[in-house]
Amino acid sequence: MKIGVLGGGQLARMIALAGVPLGYSFVVLDPSSDACATEAADLIQGAYDDTAALDKLAAVADVITYEFENVPQASARYLATKRPVYPAADVLHVAQDRLNEKTLFTQLGIQTPPYAAVNSLIELQDAVNSIGLPAVLKTRTQGYDGKGQAVIKTQAEMANAWASIGEVPAILEGFIAFDREISMIAVRNTAGEIRYYPVSENQHADGILRVARAKPGDAITPIAQRYTHKLLEHLDYVGVIAVEYFQRGEQLLANEFAPRVHNSGHWTIEGAECSQFENHVRAVANQPLGNTAALGHAAMVNLIGDLPSQAEVMTIADTHPHFYGKAPRPGRKVAHVGIRSQSAQALEATIAQVNKLKGATGA
Ligand code: AMP
């Protein structure tokens, strides 16, 4: 079986690296000739809305998935007339738009930060009046890693915030003084079987994930699973999903979900019996799912914008470098370090060492 992936970045690369040993081959569609997944997959070079390129992909792939959520919905729907596409194009309709996403969370009884739709400066004023400050203004579409967002602390900052996001349809969210951020990575296959990974505890800096730690047995797990379950069932979801939450006391507030394998689940490569990448392949290939249980004490540190040498990583015990084959540029995710240790203490000591490497932030 050949699996087609829309997008040929590091997520597609890690999907292919997990799926090749299972006996599957991979083809990615990407606009760039040096897409980093091509070390493990064939490349069809083309735009995501190029019908000829989509036709080529459908001609060689038995099933199609994606590594990022901003795939044009029309392309996913077009491909679905020719081959199974997982997760379904309808999922993109929700995941690509923060208002649709928050509306669905509310409809399913999943708690969220307070939010309101904003289409003009006047509506922003109304939203600020009802939600209060501080608040975060976010574009409804195309935002990621903190882009397309503006924090508003005082009424005087409103007009600048509206201008800074480009005066496009947006939502205003109450700014949550959370205790921590977590994500729940889960997987559902075509038969409806579901598995949940242990919760990931995520540290961000400048809106970008820096460190994720596996937290097996965490007290918040039942709520995170219950919420994620509602979403998976409602969407008749197939593949890996990542749902990001803010935790405040005992309360979980859903921020967003990614309809794909996720950076906060990279620790599963070394830290779980079956990684998120292998389970995504199993799910879209219509196979039984693998065991999501944690192994040891696991974490992942992102290397962003700059790279140490492989040797500098490898001299630190319990670490596994994952270099994506991408040239370093400011703000670009170029590698991550997977860590699995024998104890929580050893894990923290290793994270501290890895955090001193180039590209880590010391978060
Ligand atoms: P997002 O693109 O929505 O994932 O936002 C990026 C990061 O900004 C999140 O991981 C949080 O650290 C922060 N953030 C986003 N929305 C809020 C909010 N409503 N309250 C507090 N922090 C937020």
Side-chain angles (χ1 to χ4, degrees), residues 91-310:
V91 173
L92 294 177
H93 174 72
V94 182
Q96 288 180 353
D97 184 323
R98 290 183 189 275
L99 184 61
N100 293 350
E101 198 172 41
K102 289 280 189 323
T103 306
L104 179 62
F105 287 148
T106 306
Q107 184 190 327
L108 295 176
I110 299 170
Q111 288 193 296
T112 67
Y115 64 92
V118 170
N119 295 300
S120 65
L121 190 52
I122 293 171
E123 285 185 18
L124 178 57
Q125 177 71 66
D126 290 345
V128 165
N129 290 344
S130 66
I131 289 171
L133 294 175
V136 196
L137 185 65
K138 300 180 178 180
T139 58
R140 279 176 60 173
T141 61
Q142 300 293 333
Y144 67 98
D145 282 349
K147 295 188 174 69
Q149 298 192 12
V151 175
I152 305 177
K153 295 193 184 112
T154 64
Q155 297 261 350
E157 290 171 0
M158 268 188 327
N160 270 348
W162 177 239
S164 78
I165 64 153
E167 306 187 359
V168 293
I171 66 169
L172 186 76
E173 291 178 14
F175 189 87
I176 305 300
F178 50 75
D179 301 327
R180 60 174 182 160
E181 292 187 79
I182 65 148
S183 54
M184 167 57 70
I185 315 274
V187 57
R188 185 175 181 275
N189 66 10
T190 46
E193 185 191 355
I194 296 177
R195 304 264 185 138
Y196 303 94
Y197 285 95
V199 157
S200 303
E201 187 180 292
N202 305 328
Q203 285 181 339
H204 294 81
D206 302 325
I208 307 182
L209 181 68
R210 300 294 169 158
V211 181
R213 291 170 171 81
K215 292 284 169 182
D218 194 277
I220 207 70
T221 305
I223 311 181
Q225 286 191 359
R226 184 154 50 80
Y227 283 171
T228 304
H229 182 266
K230 288 178 190 225
L231 209 52
L232 290 171
E233 290 297 335
H234 176 84
L235 296 169
D236 192 18
Y237 194 93
V238 174
V240 163
I241 194 170
V243 192
E244 295 184 73
Y245 299 98
F246 303 131
Q247 183 176 355
R248 192 173 56 186
E250 312 272 281
Q251 201 183 25
L252 268 195
L253 303 172
N255 177 31
E256 61 182 358
F257 75 89
R260 54 173 169 81
V261 290
H262 193 255
N263 196 174
S264 66
H266 289 1
W267 62 265
T268 63
I269 297 175
E270 289 86 19
E273 189 66 43
C274 180
S275 77
Q276 63 165 346
F277 300 102
E278 180 175 336
N279 258 331
H280 186 68
V281 171
R282 288 177 179 228
V284 303
N286 198 9
Q287 296 295 327
L289 299 176
N291 185 352
T292 49
L295 302 171
H297 297 260
M300 169 301 313
V301 177
N302 270 338
L303 302 180
I304 298 170
D306 205 355
L307 271 178
S309 68
Q310 283 94 337

